[in-house]
Amino acid sequence: MTPALEVRNLRKTFGGGRSLTGKPLPAVHAVRDVSLSVRTGETLGIVGESGCGKSTLARMLVGLLKQTEGEIAIEGKNLSDQMGDPAAFGRLIQYVFQDPISSLNPRKTIREILEAPLIHLLGMDESSRKARIAELFEAVNLRREFLSRYPHEFSGGQAQRIGIARALAAAPRILVLDEPVSALDVSVQAQVLNLLADLRQAMDLTYLFISHDLAVVEAVSDSVAVLYFGRVVEVGRAEAIFTTPRHPYTDLLAGSAPIVGRDLGRTESQAVELPDPLRPPPGCAFAARCPKVTALCRDKVPAMEAFSEHHEAACHHPN
Amino acid sequence: MHLYVLKRLLAIVPILIGLTVIVFAIMALIPGDPATAILGSYATPENVEKLNRSLGLDKSVFEQYFIWLGNLLQGDLGRSYSLNRPVLDEVLERFSATLILAGAALLLCTVWGLLIGIWTAARQYGWTDKILTFVVLIGISVPSFWLGLLLILLFSVQWRVLPASGMFAIYGGGDLPDLLRHLILPAVTLSVVATGVIARLTRSAMLEVLRQDFVRTARAKGVPESSVLYRHAFKAALVSVIPVIGIQAGFVLGGAVYIETVFQWPGVGRMLVQAISTRDILLVQGGVVVVAGSYVLFNLLADLAQSWLDPRVKT
Amino acid sequence: MTTLKLIARNHLAAFGGIVLLLVVLVALLVPFLPIVDPDLTDPANRLKRPFSEGALLGTDHLGRDLLARLLWGTQLSLVVGAAAAVIAAVIGSAIGIVAGYFGGRTDSLIMRGIDMLMAFPYILLALAIVAVLGPGLLNALYAVAIVNIPFFARNIRGVTVSLAHREFVDAARLSGMNDWQIIRSEILPNVLPVIVIAMSTTIGWMILETAGLSFLGLGSQPPQADLGSMLGEGRKLLITAPHASIVPGVMIFIIVMSVNLLGDGIRDALDPRLRSGALSRPAAATRVERAETPAKTEDAEALLKVDGLRTEFRLGNRAYRAVGGVDFAVRAGECLGIIGESGSGKSVTALSLLGLVASPPGMITGGAVRIDGADTLSMNGEALRRLRGGKVAYVFQDPLATLHPLYRIGDQMVEAIRCHRPMAKQAAWDHAVSLLEQVRIPNAAFRAKAYPHELSGGMRQRVGIALALVNDPELLILDEPTTALDVTVQAQVLALLDDLRRERNLAMVFITHDFGVVSQLCDRVAVMYAGRIVETGPTEAVLESPSHPYTKRLIACVPELGGGRRALSAIPGLPPPVDDLPAGCAFAPRCDKASEQCRKGDIPLEGSEARAVRCLQPEGAAA
């Protein structure tokens, strides 16, 4: 079966090039050699902390950003040459933003916001637009009278529903959800997550769910990819990742999440953080924080290695 | 830090080049024939052609520009036909008078602008604030050339305490006290608008900064209120005020045109107005290049002052 | 229109608006007014004084009627100034929007050009342009407009750049809109208020400048006269006939002043920050207006005792009751967690303890905060200052915004030390470095010389903690100190706080929204909802057997690692707005156990001091 989304060796470098005098300019490799594949109807969770390149990756997947290298195919259709042109992607893949309020133009009514994709992507006439908007609003459980209001009149949870309705308007096959609930309170988070789960079933959608919160990712994902410093360090079925993590970073991430009833994890006593993106280390980016580090790790970037059919990790000394 | 200074210095080179291009282009666009302007309308065609050749006007525009630029770099701005002396000599002489006037005005507006801004911000909605804010609004609304006339009427005509015009007294003047007496009215007049602009901006910058989280941190660590105001808030506000002081230097240098006309101050502004009316192109060109060039340098100073104050700028 | 109302409420702006309206009306009606021809010379009646017969404002050196010339001149000046403003605004804004939206090469090319124009002192450039075009009113108009284009271009570019990176612009691109459609429907409507503000604050300038050029003889040419050239003509007779220059000058002043007053009013009405009163200066301490101070309750052990604390925000005629009567106590060495969702009043509670709520609009309207028995809300400025950063210290959420950007972190710590005790600079610096070591900052002596922006988020928060510890406080108030951090860094910082607490026997008030954090760090917990504590008790007891339905359901919402794929539970509805709280229990509208009784009257926080709940039908109790 063709996967819903297939990404090969995607890479994004910011800056770089040469100055007028021929001196190389500093370059940040935000995303390096990311390959992913998502089956139709499934949810791929992408986990990572700030600076891991998850937002850059997401923006490339929906075509907002042009890749430096690499290929992307949606439902078998190669779109690699059209990256940087979101209109080409819009009918296949859409994006739900982290900050629900700032993703809505404060000077447009909700109806105007929802009409834009119907006009520009689908070229619908007025009566079919009306019907489609009613259908969308029903799907995300919002009342019709909201349509003539402006974004600032809504709470975060309601605004995120509107954001989801906007993303669904052009009937895409895939949604990229970029931290869709991290700006929301916990009591509202679940409302949105459950809505997303219902929609996926009802519309046979495929999700890429990006989050820093391991617990949320576990609750929604079929498979999971862990990102660190621009690379995928571990990828596999969700159960496998959470029961037998192979990469020490996945371990650290799971051990760091504050959990009711668990003692403070003494995972790292020293203050160690990400390497300098302008001067990345030659070997494994996690080496400086890794309890199992050896000389090999500092020298050589580990390659992806398969542990089972659907479980891979990039580590010289996997668990 | 040194690297940053060097970078900034290099960055003004294209601006200076652009400036000479604009000045040259403007002057090249002036309709009419300079030779005719110089020789009068009864000149013979041969004479006109001869003069054109000696002025280099028979060459292409590009060649003319590079010749002009080359001469400029050697300090040769040509010869003013209306004054019959080298443009550079005239411009430098006049410009020194303008620098005295503009420098005094800039000093006044910076000091008073900052003081009024801080006072009004510290006493927001108090009487001091209300009165000063209104006075400042009057200051930025009053035409400076008219204010100059009013001051002359009051201080020179009515009360006869200060001289109405010129830089030195005609008889027995020429020393520093004499210069200062002549300087007071034009410098004050020239500084009024800029004072108002700086004061308004300082006030709003202070109020903005006082709302910020790091001011709350300062209070939370027990910093005395005066220190919160002057050490924490003022320094942060200054970062956004300094560029405006740089811009005000431009207003003051330009505004000098009016003030020099009103007070008959022998500066470059008055020279320019006269040169425009006599169509003495080389003189206009020279004056504009020198004033604009010095303004670019002043803005460079403002930039460096800002980067010295704000470590975030350098990166 | 609220904007118009806001302008009208601002007396000065309204006054300016009315004056301007009158001037404009007169200028419009000039052709129909019974005045003499402004260009009619009458040498016999030259230089008549104002209020003389047949010439209300006198006559000029050619015997022309000054009133007539003034009215026609006003019309001309207004038209020219307004036209220059419109031209500059349209061209400048278009340039700014294009540069800001497209960015990259387009942007740098355009802005370099603008920089070149700005390299000329303002009026000098106008002079040069007039020199090219030749004197004349229309040319003066062009000159003034061109000179002002860079101002608009720069301003509008700045706003556009920030808009172009907003998410709704990405959303529009994903909706299939092309660049010009986005500029028209997403950027322009949001930039328009800024253009209007920029125009209303510069139109006065432009009137002044065109008048100035005419004054120099480079604008309107005789016999046509705008106000500037009238002034220029009058200047020559300054001593013999001062009225000839005073009259047009007064008119220019009136126009510009009224334009500026109105412009300020428009700016204030359109600027959202000014609208919410955000630009008023916060006082050194929160204003306190209490009807009475609650009596001292006996609790000898308590380091911090809060009774009936109420804090409101007053905006316009609405009162937002952020904190509506909060009581709690913290003993020496104890860590109390205050947990709640956004808007629950937990942060305002923390800031109220030492009067750090910005005021206006904040105001403490009731209660007492006693530290070692002394009420901080009735302390004078100096006593409160000694307490702040001395016995009680704060750690805030976002360390990039909460540290001063222009001072080295070591200097900020030295200042905090020397505000409280006399210590030589070097000794204070050494002390600061040793504290940076204690919060486990690698290479502390070197990092002390760094500026906040040079450190990572985790490092900055360690600095924030070190800064709080400089004077050996007994109580630390931490307002969401780890919320902005990544989980792995959060774990490091929490471990650090736990160690410090044990080493120094620190008492803590820890504000958070995260149950996991509370459970790992706090001895006791208080749960807040809509400005009040709804449940309090030992952390383990509250988390294991919550009594309040809100606590119970909130805990159920938190996704926990190890649960596998599942549906999560949610609480339907939203917390009530704090300017319109329901009677009775604030949670009743979302609670499935709520009865009639729950919706009326005040429900007390009942139980022992160790374990209390604000509910009529607590969980686990017999129904």
Side-chain angles (χ1 to χ4, degrees):
Chain A
M1 202 177 89
T2 343
L5 175 79
E6 178 96 49
V7 171
R8 284 280 152 253
N9 301 324
L10 209 55
R11 179 185 274 268
K12 179 74 198 177
T13 308
F14 291 106
R18 282 171 189 278
S19 72
L20 287 176
T21 53
K23 215 170 54 179
L25 292 169
V28 173
H29 302 277
V31 170
R32 309 149 169 253
D33 302 319
V34 168
S35 301
L36 293 168
S37 165
V38 196
R39 284 187 228 166
T40 305
E42 288 204 338
T43 299
L44 170 70
I46 297 178
V47 194
E49 297 181 283
S50 47
C52 73
K54 55 187 193 285
S55 286
T56 308
L57 176 63
R59 291 170 59 83
M60 281 195 283
L61 293 181
V62 294
L64 279 171
L65 209 60
K66 208 169 155 45
Q67 83 277 39
T68 310
E69 257 173 59
E71 306 263 307
I72 181 171
I74 293 171
E75 298 197 320
K77 192 175 161 204
N78 191 332
L79 287 168
S80 310
D81 298 334
Q82 276 145 301
M83 285 175 85
D85 174 19
F89 283 61
R91 264 179 289 175
L92 294 169
I93 188 165
Q94 277 285 351
Y95 195 58
V96 175
F97 296 86
Q98 172 171 7
D99 184 340
I101 301 284
S102 91
S103 66
L104 305 174
N105 185 346
R107 292 187 187 266
K108 276 179 148 184
T109 64
I110 303 308
R111 179 184 298 282
E112 287 169 326
I113 289 170
L114 291 181
E115 274 187 332
L118 301 179
I119 297 172
H120 300 287
L121 289 175
L122 302 181
M124 278 187 177
D125 61 26
E126 206 186 320
S127 63
S128 36
R129 288 205 301 264
K130 228 175 173 164
R132 176 75 181 141
I133 287 174
E135 196 181 300
L136 285 168
F137 246 50
E138 186 119 347
V140 298
N141 297 331
L142 285 174
R143 290 203 302 267
R144 286 274 195 90
E145 63 255 36
F146 288 174
L147 280 172
S148 51
R149 296 197 189 163
Y150 287 89
H152 69 264
E153 298 173 56
F154 295 96
S155 71
Q158 288 168 331
Q160 196 56 295
R161 284 161 193 268
I162 295 166
I164 292 169
R166 188 202 57 76
L168 290 175
R173 304 295 306 128
I174 307 173
L175 281 193
V176 175
L177 306 149
D178 187 1
E179 304 258 12
V181 295
S182 54
L184 308 177
D185 276 319
V186 268
S187 68
V188 183
Q189 251 183 31
Q191 295 175 8
V192 173
L193 289 176
N194 295 340
L195 170 71
L196 283 170
D198 294 345
L199 290 172
R200 192 182 74 154
Q201 283 251 283
M203 303 186 182
D204 193 24
L205 294 165
T206 305
Y207 285 168
L208 269 89
F209 191 99
I210 300 174
S211 177
H212 68 279
D213 189 334
L214 221 52
V216 170
V217 168
E218 188 196 21
V220 302
S221 306
D222 299 294
S223 54
V224 174
V226 181
L227 247 61
Y228 188 75
F229 204 64
R231 283 181 202 277
V232 175
V233 294
E234 183 162 5
V235 62
R237 302 303 292 173
E239 316 84 65
I241 296 269
F242 288 103
T243 50
T244 53
R246 298 291 188 172
H247 199 284
Y249 175 65
T250 316
D251 242 0
L252 174 69
L253 210 52
S256 298
I259 286 175
V260 174
R262 186 167 79 185
D263 277 345
L264 261 176
R266 302 286 156 157
T267 44
E268 293 170 293
S269 59
Q270 268 288 330
V272 275
E273 285 166 32
L274 285 178
D276 181 355
L278 288 172
R279 277 182 293 267
C284 173
F286 189 61
R289 304 173 69 174
C290 187
K292 306 170 108 180
V293 63
T294 61
L296 175 66
C297 306
R298 296 209 171 87
D299 271 4
K300 197 166 162 268
V301 181
M304 269 293 191
E305 203 181 312
F307 294 90
S308 64
E309 195 188 344
H310 298 295
H311 194 174
E312 295 174 44
C315 182
H316 291 303
H317 312 288
N319 293 340
Chain B
M1 186 72 207
H2 296 294
L3 198 71
Y4 180 78
V5 174
L6 198 71
K7 260 192 199 161
R8 292 297 319 171
L9 274 173
L10 286 178
I12 65 167
V13 172
I15 293 192
L16 286 174
I17 293 175
L19 193 140
T20 59
V21 171
I22 294 178
V23 171
F24 183 82
I26 285 177
M27 295 310 145
L29 285 173
I30 289 188
D33 179 1
T36 319
I38 294 169
L39 298 171
S41 40
Y42 299 110
T44 62
E46 295 85 62
N47 282 348
V48 169
E49 198 187 320
K50 215 168 119 192
L51 187 66
N52 270 344
R53 207 175 315 131
S54 72
L55 289 173
L57 292 176
D58 54 340
K59 299 203 171 71
S60 79
V61 180
F62 288 105
E63 273 178 281
Q64 283 184 47
Y65 169 72
F66 284 108
I67 292 168
W68 177 75
L69 187 66
N71 291 340
L72 176 73
L73 291 175
Q74 290 166 31
D76 178 8
L77 292 171
R79 209 174 165 80
S80 156
Y81 79 86
S82 63
L83 302 167
N84 198 22
R85 67 181 293 204
V87 167
L88 188 71
D89 295 358
E90 176 73 9
V91 167
L92 286 185
E93 196 179 305
R94 295 296 202 111
F95 188 57
S96 58
T98 297
L99 265 189
I100 292 174
L101 175 60
L106 199 60
L107 192 71
L108 282 176
C109 72
T110 307
V111 171
W112 282 105
L114 290 177
L115 281 179
I116 295 174
I118 297 172
W119 278 339
T120 48
R123 295 166 181 73
Q124 194 194 17
Y125 301 140
W127 277 109
T128 330
D129 178 33
K130 279 184 184 153
I131 293 169
L132 279 178
T133 304
F134 195 72
V135 170
V136 159
L137 195 68
I138 292 178
I140 63 165
S141 304
V142 74
S144 59
F145 37 93
W146 180 65
L147 181 67
L149 295 179
L150 285 189
L151 291 181
I152 289 176
L153 274 180
L154 278 181
F155 288 90
S156 308
V157 179
Q158 201 73 30
W159 298 330
R160 298 175 177 277
V161 285
L162 289 169
S165 66
M167 200 165 153
F168 293 105
I170 299 167
Y171 302 108
D175 52 356
L176 189 65
D178 185 41
L179 173 65
L180 289 179
R181 261 165 46 82
H182 281 82
L183 188 58
I184 292 176
L185 284 186
V188 167
T189 313
L190 185 52
S191 70
V192 164
V193 174
T195 306
V197 174
I198 294 175
R200 276 161 69 103
L201 192 98
T202 308
R203 178 177 184 272
S204 63
M206 282 289 285
L207 291 175
E208 182 125 338
V209 167
L210 279 167
R211 278 269 141 187
Q212 284 181 8
D213 286 349
F214 62 80
V215 168
R216 191 184 60 194
T217 307
R219 290 193 170 127
K221 66 186 190 186
V223 173
E225 195 55 20
S226 60
S227 208
V228 168
L229 212 57
Y230 299 111
R231 233 179 90 80
H232 289 257
F234 180 60
K235 185 167 180 180
L238 209 51
V239 169
S240 50
V241 174
I242 283 181
V244 173
I245 294 179
I247 293 173
Q248 288 314 304
F251 277 86
V252 166
L253 275 175
V257 174
Y258 303 135
I259 305 305
E260 287 173 4
T261 306
V262 170
F263 289 94
Q264 303 190 6
W265 188 267
V268 78
R270 202 163 134 238
M271 179 199 87
L272 281 173
V273 176
Q274 287 161 348
I276 288 173
S277 50
T278 54
R279 308 200 71 78
D280 190 341
I281 294 168
L282 289 178
L283 198 55
V284 176
Q285 228 169 19
V288 172
V289 163
V290 169
V291 177
S294 63
Y295 176 50
V296 170
L297 291 180
F298 186 85
N299 267 327
L300 174 73
L301 286 183
D303 269 3
L304 293 179
Q306 198 191 8
S307 74
W308 171 74
L309 202 65
D310 188 346
R312 292 167 299 182
V313 173
K314 270 166 272 179
T315 44
Chain C
M1 273 293 280
T2 43
T3 309
L4 275 182
K5 256 192 221 156
L6 276 166
I7 295 173
R9 214 189 295 153
N10 180 342
H11 297 301
L12 281 177
F15 173 73
I18 291 169
V19 171
L20 186 65
L21 198 69
L22 286 177
V23 174
V24 170
L25 265 183
V26 171
L28 285 175
L29 292 176
V30 172
F32 312 105
L33 290 179
I35 49 172
V36 294
D37 178 354
D39 299 332
L40 185 72
T41 54
D42 181 5
N45 283 318
R46 55 196 294 270
L47 294 180
K48 270 167 71 173
R49 296 269 146 184
F51 307 114
S52 48
E53 208 193 316
L56 189 59
L57 293 178
T59 57
D60 70 359
H61 60 292
L62 294 176
R64 294 176 292 196
D65 183 52
L66 270 180
L67 177 66
R69 290 180 68 74
L70 184 78
L71 293 178
W72 282 99
T74 302
Q75 187 193 46
L76 201 56
S77 283
L78 278 176
V79 169
V80 171
V86 170
I87 294 173
V90 169
I91 299 179
S93 306
I95 292 175
I97 288 176
V98 167
Y101 179 77
F102 290 103
R105 292 247 161 88
T106 320
D107 182 31
S108 48
L109 208 66
I110 292 179
M111 292 324 285
R112 285 300 83 76
I114 294 290
D115 280 350
M116 307 248 162
L117 278 186
M118 288 188 101
F120 288 89
Y122 211 58
I123 297 150
L124 203 63
L125 185 58
L127 274 186
I129 294 168
V130 173
V132 175
L133 301 174
L137 192 55
L138 204 58
N139 294 343
L141 188 162
Y142 293 145
V144 170
I146 292 173
V147 172
N148 278 290
I149 285 175
F151 168 80
F152 281 93
R154 276 209 162 180
N155 247 342
I156 301 305
R157 176 193 168 266
V159 181
T160 309
V161 165
S162 67
L163 282 171
H165 290 105
R166 289 274 292 277
E167 292 175 334
F168 66 79
V169 171
D170 282 339
R173 295 178 64 200
L174 289 164
S175 299
M177 292 160 84
N178 64 32
D179 289 332
W180 298 108
Q181 286 165 336
I182 291 176
I183 286 180
R184 208 193 60 229
S185 84
E186 311 291 318
I187 304 281
L188 196 58
N190 286 292
V191 171
L192 215 50
V194 186
I195 298 178
V196 171
I197 290 173
M199 254 181 93
S200 64
T201 47
T202 49
I203 189 167
W205 273 110
M206 302 207 209
I207 293 174
L208 268 184
E209 278 147 25
T210 32
L213 288 176
S214 292
F215 172 79
L216 295 174
L218 303 172
S220 70
Q221 299 297 309
Q224 183 197 46
D226 69 351
L227 294 171
S229 56
M230 283 179 73
L231 194 52
E233 285 165 9
R235 180 176 81 88
K236 291 163 193 148
L237 309 158
L238 182 63
I239 295 168
T240 46
H243 68 277
S245 43
I246 289 178
V247 167
V250 169
M251 195 64 199
I252 299 177
F253 173 63
I254 289 175
I255 294 174
V256 177
M257 182 85 180
S258 61
V259 167
N260 284 344
L261 282 171
L262 181 65
D264 282 3
I266 291 174
R267 183 198 61 199
D268 292 357
L270 287 181
D271 191 328
R273 286 172 314 162
L274 294 164
R275 214 175 211 169
S276 61
L279 269 195
S280 47
R281 180 190 168 214
T286 314
R287 265 177 67 197
V288 178
E289 262 181 30
R290 294 179 289 187
E292 55 184 50
T293 315
K296 236 178 182 167
T297 41
E298 276 314 306
D299 190 346
E301 281 178 76
L303 173 63
L304 166 70
K305 183 99 177 68
V306 178
D307 292 302
L309 179 69
R310 286 172 184 278
T311 306
E312 290 180 3
F313 292 97
R314 295 196 177 156
L315 288 172
N317 43 18
R318 310 201 92 151
Y320 296 84
R321 295 193 177 78
V323 180
V326 160
D327 320 78
F328 62 86
V330 179
R331 296 190 179 80
E334 184 185 42
C335 177
L336 171 74
I338 299 183
I339 193 163
E341 296 182 276
S342 44
S344 64
K346 56 188 192 301
S347 283
V348 180
T349 303
L351 292 175
S352 299
L353 300 180
L354 289 190
L356 285 172
V357 178
S359 150
M363 188 188 292
I364 294 172
T365 55
V369 176
R370 294 197 176 86
I371 290 181
D372 277 342
D375 182 20
T376 66
L377 302 184
S378 38
M379 276 180 190
N380 66 23
E382 179 58 17
L384 190 62
R385 184 190 76 72
R386 298 199 150 279
L387 202 57
R388 289 172 172 179
K391 194 184 271 187
V392 184
Y394 276 88
V395 177
F396 297 105
Q397 176 175 349
D398 174 8
L400 183 58
T402 53
L403 292 172
H404 198 296
L406 308 182
Y407 289 108
R408 297 176 194 280
I409 57 173
D411 287 331
Q412 300 192 39
M413 294 174 72
V414 167
E415 185 193 25
I417 296 169
R418 285 158 54 96
C419 283
H420 288 275
R421 45 192 165 138
M423 192 188 265
K425 268 204 173 134
Q426 188 55 47
W429 182 272
D430 294 341
H431 184 51
V433 171
S434 81
L435 274 163
L436 290 176
E437 274 162 10
Q438 283 181 46
V439 296
R440 298 178 207 146
I441 286 184
N443 208 352
F446 176 72
R447 293 289 168 96
K449 291 183 209 142
Y451 290 96
H453 72 277
E454 295 168 342
L455 301 178
S456 69
M459 291 294 176
R460 275 197 292 267
Q461 194 53 292
R462 286 168 192 268
V463 172
I465 294 167
L467 184 64
L469 295 178
V470 287
N471 294 311
D472 293 317
E474 290 172 34
L475 174 64
L476 216 51
I477 299 166
L478 303 111
D479 186 7
E480 305 240 21
T482 59
T483 305
L485 305 177
D486 280 322
V487 266
T488 54
V489 179
Q490 167 173 284
Q492 296 170 12
V493 172
L494 287 178
L496 170 71
L497 284 172
D498 198 43
D499 291 346
L500 287 171
R501 192 191 139 200
R502 285 172 213 289
E503 284 161 20
R504 295 170 167 254
N505 194 31
L506 270 170
M508 286 184 179
V509 175
F510 196 103
I511 312 291
T512 180
H513 65 275
D514 190 327
F515 278 106
V517 171
V518 165
S519 115
Q520 290 181 338
L521 203 63
C522 301
D523 305 311
R524 285 193 304 123
V525 62
V527 183
M528 281 189 79
Y529 187 77
R532 309 190 80 176
I533 291 177
V534 295
E535 175 165 10
T536 176
T539 308
E540 218 164 293
V542 171
L543 293 183
E544 266 169 25
S545 54
S547 293
H548 198 283
Y550 173 65
T551 319
K552 186 183 172 199
R553 295 181 58 185
L554 191 61
I555 292 173
C557 289
V558 181
E560 263 186 31
L561 207 55
R565 254 200 91 152
R566 64 204 183 274
L568 298 163
S569 40
I571 308 178
L574 290 171
V578 285
D579 60 332
D580 188 20
L581 289 172
C585 175
F587 188 62
R590 301 170 79 183
C591 182
D592 40 22
K593 295 168 77 179
S595 65
E596 267 314 291
Q597 214 52 37
C598 296
R599 295 176 211 277
K600 39 185 164 181
D602 191 54
I603 297 159
L605 185 66
E606 278 186 340
S608 66
E609 205 199 324
R611 189 93 166 85
V613 61
R614 194 187 296 277
C615 182
L616 296 176
Q617 304 162 56
E619 304 286 332

